[in-house]
Amino acid sequence: SDTLSLPDALPISLDTVLQRGLEFSLHVHKPDGVVPSLSDGDARSHLDLLRQGAELFGRADMLFVATQGAQGKAPAERAVHFAASGYSVLRSGWGDAATKFSDAHYLVFDSGPLGEGNHGHFDCLSFELAAFGRSLVVDPGRYTYSEAGDRNWRVHFRGTAAHNTVEVDGRQQTRYMPKPTQPGTRHVAGTVRHKVGGPAPEAALLERQHGPHFDLLHGCARSHEYDALHERCIVFVDRHYWIVSDWLRAPTPHVYTLNFQLGAHAEGGTWLAPGAALRASSPGLLLLQPARRGVHSAVEPSWVSARYGDKQAAPALRCRLHAADADFDTVLVPWKSVEPAVTVEDVAVEADGLPAGQASRALRITFFEGGDTVVDHWFHARGLDARRWHIGDFEFSGRWAYWRADRRGHVTRVVSHDGAVLARAVASEAAS
């Protein structure tokens, strides 16, 4: 029969699937009302569909996001993880009397599979960051499906080097090989198109923790194209700034390139301050790293594409290191009107039970605001197991810890995982 028959009533399970899709849409929309151009999608708004979902299912939270806080009720969660896709979304909040809905901090993190249908990009452990109505660190988009011309833009925009992750030896995370087109297809006979030719990285979200002053996402990716294991830990401190800690471990040396693709609004307005430590100033965003031997950083030309067929010049900050093992720790501080005064430096760490020189590093992040000084510390053991860590004036037992001190050195906040202990080396003050 040429007639399509539909059931009298759709199954309840379809409603469940539709709501799950709408819930992803609810969270993945940035505060400006646009969904990032993840993989082969464009950057566009689906708030009209979210409003329809709100009406269909009586969801006040969907209405709230669809109207950008004008109607409905704010969602109960600001931090969510979608296990099937591997996407995690973090935001500072949904707007209140002190902060506009559109000014919220937002991050989406990819620790999931490549995806089906030859549309996935090679972007494992990549992220997009927005704050104060601006997209600050962005997914590059797709630009085109065409592979014609002097430069293969399809390969570029799909490739690892264009995304906010770590590239190893200039290779893709997944094997991507040119193959002749087949007769009878829509492609010109005799031309070549790239196809995925190997398995995707083995990726996972290892840990997540959320609280009123601290959020943590820890993911890992093991590519089949090289012997380096990449782990990335993203922390959101006080709903104010971000720390992106990357560590790569391999039995052989590699050239590691850490990439931060900035938005088109940063073109012509991004610069590096002189000095051994990294200080990159961009409109609305400050990026800092402590001084470390062998790391070379530069702002380089790049491109982003929010819509198919349209690309814009946008700078990329790239940090390179040649080594077997590599550690990058980047502090990202979004700002609205005045660039903040912040410094970042390494703190030496010693460990009980580990050979000298094998201990990890800790970060000291100092904010100078309104005549006051706030000092934050961040430490992650990065897979090493010591009986006790000695970090400045503190002793720590555990995997990771964050703590804040005022200008007099008084600890005002400590966050860590269950079972961890942080204590003064010469005092009884302790927290767990």
Side-chain angles (χ1 to χ4, degrees):
S1 172
D2 294 331
T3 303
L4 178 63
S5 299
L6 294 175
D8 294 333
L10 295 173
I12 296 298
S13 59
L14 181 60
D15 281 358
T16 301
V17 172
L18 285 173
Q19 287 203 65
R20 288 172 61 189
L22 289 166
E23 286 166 357
F24 178 78
S25 177
L26 176 155
H27 287 284
V28 81
H29 273 90
K30 295 183 289 188
D32 65 0
V34 175
V35 173
S37 51
L38 305 171
S39 291
D40 272 349
D42 292 336
R44 57 186 299 182
S45 175
H46 302 284
L47 295 183
D48 54 342
L49 294 177
L50 202 56
R51 182 188 279 270
Q52 291 182 45
E55 296 172 356
L56 179 62
F57 297 110
R59 294 283 296 266
D61 54 349
M62 293 181 186
L63 180 61
F64 186 90
V65 176
T67 61
Q68 296 187 280
Q71 302 175 46
K73 183 179 179 181
E77 296 179 291
R78 60 176 187 86
V80 292
H81 175 65
F82 297 92
S85 66
Y87 287 116
S88 301
V89 183
L90 272 175
R91 67 180 69 221
S92 55
W94 298 100
D96 52 32
T99 305
K100 294 193 302 182
F101 180 97
S102 59
D103 279 352
H105 291 227
Y106 163 102
L107 180 139
V108 57
F109 177 51
D110 180 4
S111 59
L114 175 63
E116 303 296 334
N118 204 40
H119 289 283
H121 289 195
F122 314 129
D123 59 351
C124 196
L125 303 189
S126 186
F127 70 95
E128 177 152 338
L129 174 68
F132 303 116
R134 288 174 168 172
S135 295
L136 300 172
V137 178
V138 303
D139 186 282
R142 60 172 169 165
Y143 179 46
T144 183
Y145 289 135
S146 172
E147 297 194 24
D150 295 337
R151 178 164 186 175
N152 194 322
W153 289 107
R154 170 61 172 164
V155 171
H156 168 80
F157 275 89
R158 197 177 185 187
T160 301
H163 292 84
N164 302 302
T165 186
V166 178
E167 180 193 38
V168 179
D169 294 333
R171 303 177 69 110
Q172 308 288 9
Q173 290 176 337
T174 301
R175 187 164 301 178
Y176 194 42
M177 303 295 293
K179 295 184 178 181
T181 56
Q182 298 299 314
T185 67
R186 60 186 175 86
H187 303 297
V188 177
T191 60
V192 171
R193 291 182 62 81
H194 283 70
K195 297 290 184 180
V196 172
E202 298 169 14
L205 185 68
L206 301 178
E207 185 176 8
R208 58 188 291 248
Q209 180 164 315
H210 306 295
H213 299 291
F214 185 89
D215 297 278
L216 178 145
L217 297 169
H218 178 191
C220 71
R222 184 182 293 278
S223 172
H224 296 268
E225 299 303 296
Y226 39 79
D227 60 9
L229 172 66
H230 180 198
E231 295 193 47
R232 166 169 279 181
C233 193
I234 298 177
V235 297
F236 188 23
V237 181
D238 213 23
R239 307 192 191 184
H240 173 208
Y241 72 95
W242 306 80
I243 305 171
V244 179
S245 292
D246 293 284
W247 57 98
L248 297 103
R249 302 291 182 260
T252 59
H254 298 279
V255 175
Y256 300 110
T257 304
L258 170 64
N259 186 64
F260 295 102
Q261 177 61 62
L262 307 179
H265 73 280
E267 179 68 13
T270 301
W271 55 276
L272 298 182
L278 170 69
R279 185 182 181 92
S281 294
S282 176
L285 182 65
L286 183 63
L287 303 97
L288 306 107
Q289 291 178 358
R292 288 185 183 165
R293 184 186 300 273
V295 177
H296 302 280
S297 301
V299 175
E300 299 180 356
S302 190
W303 301 266
V304 295
S305 175
R307 291 298 181 112
Y308 187 86
D310 176 45
K311 73 177 188 299
Q312 297 175 285
L317 173 64
R318 296 193 172 101
C319 307
R320 294 183 176 89
L321 176 64
H322 180 239
D325 296 341
D327 291 80
F328 300 100
D329 290 281
T330 312
V331 176
L332 300 95
V333 189
W335 54 274
K336 187 172 184 178
S337 55
V338 178
E339 184 177 289
V342 190
T343 62
V344 176
E345 56 192 327
D346 279 325
V347 177
V349 176
E350 296 180 357
D352 293 344
L354 291 178
Q358 284 196 12
S360 186
R361 297 180 175 97
L363 282 189
R364 180 187 292 120
I365 306 149
T366 306
F367 285 84
F368 306 93
E369 297 179 343
D372 199 6
T373 301
V374 171
V375 182
D376 285 351
H377 288 82
W378 160 247
F379 170 77
H380 198 293
R382 308 184 183 208
L384 296 175
D385 186 14
R387 292 190 297 270
R388 186 178 295 267
W389 303 95
H390 304 274
I391 310 168
D393 296 334
F394 293 88
E395 294 182 350
F396 174 65
S397 298
R399 296 191 311 277
W400 59 263
Y402 155 78
W403 65 99
R404 169 168 291 181
D406 61 21
R407 58 188 175 89
R408 294 176 298 278
H410 297 152
V411 175
T412 60
R413 181 185 304 155
V414 179
V415 182
S416 191
H417 55 87
D418 290 345
V421 177
L422 179 74
R424 289 277 189 188
V426 294
S428 59
E429 179 180 8
S432 61

